[in-house]
Structure formats: C-alpha cells, structure tokens
Amino acid sequence: MSGEEPGGVGEEAVPKRGRTGPEGDLLDPSQVHRVRAVLSLGGVPHGDLPDGVQQVRLRLLERAAAGREAPRDLGAWAAVVASNLAADWHRARGRQDRLRTRLEALAPAGGGAEGGQEARLLSLAVAEGLDALPDAQRQVLILRFYADLSVPRIAAALDIPEGTVKSRLHKAARALRERLHVDEVV
C-alpha cells in the first residue's frame, strides 16, 4: 500500500463509487488479490478461489441491479463478502461431512457391493432432497416418477391445469438436481 491519503497523488488506485477496474471489471487487481487472500485464509481450497472472486463480483452486480448504491469502500465490502463466502463454504463442507457420516452408519457392516452402496447413498440423498422441496413440487414429482402417472392424470387427480403440473415438475426436478450436485451425490 502506498500510504497516501485520499485526494493525494495515488487517488486513482482506489476506484470511486460507480467506477470499474481495468477492462470494465468491477474489482481492480488489488481488490481481487484481497478477496483471494481472505478466501484462502478462510480455508477455501486454492482451486475454488476463482469461483469465490466471481461470487463477490456477482454480489456486487446484484446490489447494483437492486438499485442500491455502490459500497463506500469497495475493498472492505469485498473482503467482508469474501469472509462470508468462506464461512458458507465451511458450513456446506460440514453438511457434506455430516451426510457422509450418516450414510456410512447406514451401510451394512459386511461392506456389501460397491454398486449397492452407491444406490443406497443416492436413494437417501434423493429422499432428503424430496423432503426439502415445497409440498406442491414434492407432490407432483412423486406422482410422476414414483406413481408413474402421466401429466394429464396428475392434473386430473390434483384438479389443476396441466401447465401447472409441468411447471411444478420442472422446478422440482431442477431444485432436486441442484441439491444433489451441491451435496456431490451425482
């Protein structure tokens, strides 16, 4: 750091509100370096650091899209967001570890076939994913894929339009797919 006071010769090194860094980047190189350092010190693996920087940029874009003004000190704001992202990363890792522990406890003592264990793990993850869905989405997903009902039959059974059934199925499948990928099951 140069140690110069704002308004001095080095003022252009820190972007003002509403300005972007080189080539239109929302963060200048020193801010990117700071974000990467905070993430790294927060325990985020080296390979995930670029994704963390992108998440900070995304949060800044979301803030602007919501009509909120740019942070007074973009570098400090980015460091706080990076710190929160590192905490989120650890929480997600903890959930994965707890799920893995629970799944290992359910595995038979004899070890079983690898394919059978993977199927049990996937079944448990899908069941947990279904539990996390809103009732309306869970209902149509179960009727479609477990009861093997067609869209028209689901619509008739629930007394809702077929388009609503299709919309709920799409949203439910997407949410379940995202959850399974987040939990690294598939």
Side-chain angles (χ1 to χ4, degrees), residues 20-29 57:
T20 59
E23 299 179 19
D25 191 357
L26 299 171
L27 302 173
D28 69 32
R57 287 181 177 119

PDB file of all heavy atoms in Angstrom, residues 20-29 57:
ATOM      1  N   THR A  20     -15.430   1.216 -12.494  1.00  0.00           N
ATOM      2  CA  THR A  20     -14.989  -0.165 -12.627  1.00  0.00           C
ATOM      3  C   THR A  20     -13.496  -0.186 -12.823  1.00  0.00           C
ATOM      4  O   THR A  20     -12.885   0.814 -13.169  1.00  0.00           O
ATOM      5  CB  THR A  20     -15.676  -0.850 -13.832  1.00  0.00           C
ATOM      6  OG1 THR A  20     -15.362  -0.115 -15.006  1.00  0.00           O
ATOM      7  CG2 THR A  20     -17.174  -0.923 -13.640  1.00  0.00           C
ATOM      8  N   GLY A  21     -12.928  -1.357 -12.593  1.00  0.00           N
ATOM      9  CA  GLY A  21     -11.495  -1.526 -12.751  1.00  0.00           C
ATOM     10  C   GLY A  21     -11.130  -1.635 -14.214  1.00  0.00           C
ATOM     11  O   GLY A  21     -11.907  -1.311 -15.103  1.00  0.00           O
ATOM     12  N   PRO A  22      -9.932  -2.148 -14.503  1.00  0.00           N
ATOM     13  CA  PRO A  22      -9.468  -2.275 -15.873  1.00  0.00           C
ATOM     14  C   PRO A  22     -10.402  -3.178 -16.676  1.00  0.00           C
ATOM     15  O   PRO A  22     -10.927  -4.157 -16.184  1.00  0.00           O
ATOM     16  CB  PRO A  22      -8.079  -2.885 -15.743  1.00  0.00           C
ATOM     17  CG  PRO A  22      -7.891  -3.253 -14.329  1.00  0.00           C
ATOM     18  CD  PRO A  22      -8.993  -2.642 -13.535  1.00  0.00           C
ATOM     19  N   GLU A  23     -10.600  -2.806 -17.927  1.00  0.00           N
ATOM     20  CA  GLU A  23     -11.414  -3.561 -18.865  1.00  0.00           C
ATOM     21  C   GLU A  23     -12.827  -3.789 -18.353  1.00  0.00           C
ATOM     22  O   GLU A  23     -13.444  -4.813 -18.602  1.00  0.00           O
ATOM     23  CB  GLU A  23     -10.741  -4.894 -19.201  1.00  0.00           C
ATOM     24  CG  GLU A  23      -9.383  -4.731 -19.847  1.00  0.00           C
ATOM     25  CD  GLU A  23      -8.738  -6.056 -20.151  1.00  0.00           C
ATOM     26  OE1 GLU A  23      -9.433  -7.082 -20.214  1.00  0.00           O
ATOM     27  OE2 GLU A  23      -7.517  -6.062 -20.320  1.00  0.00           O
ATOM     28  N   GLY A  24     -13.365  -2.855 -17.566  1.00  0.00           N
ATOM     29  CA  GLY A  24     -14.732  -2.961 -17.098  1.00  0.00           C
ATOM     30  C   GLY A  24     -14.939  -3.897 -15.926  1.00  0.00           C
ATOM     31  O   GLY A  24     -16.063  -4.156 -15.541  1.00  0.00           O
ATOM     32  N   ASP A  25     -13.876  -4.449 -15.348  1.00  0.00           N
ATOM     33  CA  ASP A  25     -14.011  -5.338 -14.202  1.00  0.00           C
ATOM     34  C   ASP A  25     -14.525  -4.529 -13.014  1.00  0.00           C
ATOM     35  O   ASP A  25     -14.165  -3.374 -12.829  1.00  0.00           O
ATOM     36  CB  ASP A  25     -12.657  -5.970 -13.864  1.00  0.00           C
ATOM     37  CG  ASP A  25     -12.776  -7.107 -12.861  1.00  0.00           C
ATOM     38  OD1 ASP A  25     -13.893  -7.372 -12.376  1.00  0.00           O
ATOM     39  OD2 ASP A  25     -11.745  -7.738 -12.571  1.00  0.00           O
ATOM     40  N   LEU A  26     -15.383  -5.136 -12.226  1.00  0.00           N
ATOM     41  CA  LEU A  26     -15.948  -4.455 -11.065  1.00  0.00           C
ATOM     42  C   LEU A  26     -14.934  -4.290  -9.947  1.00  0.00           C
ATOM     43  O   LEU A  26     -15.069  -3.404  -9.114  1.00  0.00           O
ATOM     44  CB  LEU A  26     -17.161  -5.238 -10.552  1.00  0.00           C
ATOM     45  CG  LEU A  26     -18.301  -5.371 -11.556  1.00  0.00           C
ATOM     46  CD1 LEU A  26     -19.343  -6.335 -11.036  1.00  0.00           C
ATOM     47  CD2 LEU A  26     -18.907  -4.019 -11.837  1.00  0.00           C
ATOM     48  N   LEU A  27     -13.954  -5.165  -9.910  1.00  0.00           N
ATOM     49  CA  LEU A  27     -12.928  -5.115  -8.874  1.00  0.00           C
ATOM     50  C   LEU A  27     -11.578  -4.869  -9.534  1.00  0.00           C
ATOM     51  O   LEU A  27     -11.259  -5.485 -10.547  1.00  0.00           O
ATOM     52  CB  LEU A  27     -12.866  -6.446  -8.112  1.00  0.00           C
ATOM     53  CG  LEU A  27     -14.152  -6.902  -7.424  1.00  0.00           C
ATOM     54  CD1 LEU A  27     -13.972  -8.317  -6.872  1.00  0.00           C
ATOM     55  CD2 LEU A  27     -14.540  -5.943  -6.318  1.00  0.00           C
ATOM     56  N   ASP A  28     -10.797  -3.983  -8.936  1.00  0.00           N
ATOM     57  CA  ASP A  28      -9.469  -3.778  -9.506  1.00  0.00           C
ATOM     58  C   ASP A  28      -8.556  -4.917  -9.040  1.00  0.00           C
ATOM     59  O   ASP A  28      -8.909  -5.679  -8.147  1.00  0.00           O
ATOM     60  CB  ASP A  28      -8.926  -2.383  -9.159  1.00  0.00           C
ATOM     61  CG  ASP A  28      -8.591  -2.185  -7.692  1.00  0.00           C
ATOM     62  OD1 ASP A  28      -8.191  -3.161  -7.025  1.00  0.00           O
ATOM     63  OD2 ASP A  28      -8.707  -1.047  -7.212  1.00  0.00           O
ATOM     64  N   PRO A  29      -7.369  -5.059  -9.627  1.00  0.00           N
ATOM     65  CA  PRO A  29      -6.484  -6.184  -9.293  1.00  0.00           C
ATOM     66  C   PRO A  29      -6.138  -6.284  -7.803  1.00  0.00           C
ATOM     67  O   PRO A  29      -6.057  -7.388  -7.262  1.00  0.00           O
ATOM     68  CB  PRO A  29      -5.230  -5.922 -10.131  1.00  0.00           C
ATOM     69  CG  PRO A  29      -5.735  -5.139 -11.305  1.00  0.00           C
ATOM     70  CD  PRO A  29      -6.842  -4.272 -10.756  1.00  0.00           C
ATOM     71  N   ARG A  57     -18.048 -10.668  -7.264  1.00  0.00           N
ATOM     72  CA  ARG A  57     -18.483  -9.822  -8.381  1.00  0.00           C
ATOM     73  C   ARG A  57     -19.999  -9.932  -8.579  1.00  0.00           C
ATOM     74  O   ARG A  57     -20.682  -8.946  -8.819  1.00  0.00           O
ATOM     75  CB  ARG A  57     -17.768 -10.233  -9.663  1.00  0.00           C
ATOM     76  CG  ARG A  57     -16.313  -9.836  -9.697  1.00  0.00           C
ATOM     77  CD  ARG A  57     -15.678 -10.260 -11.021  1.00  0.00           C
ATOM     78  NE  ARG A  57     -14.308  -9.831 -11.099  1.00  0.00           N
ATOM     79  CZ  ARG A  57     -13.277 -10.668 -11.215  1.00  0.00           C
ATOM     80  NH1 ARG A  57     -13.462 -11.963 -11.283  1.00  0.00           N
ATOM     81  NH2 ARG A  57     -12.046 -10.202 -11.270  1.00  0.00           N
TER      82      ARG A  57
END
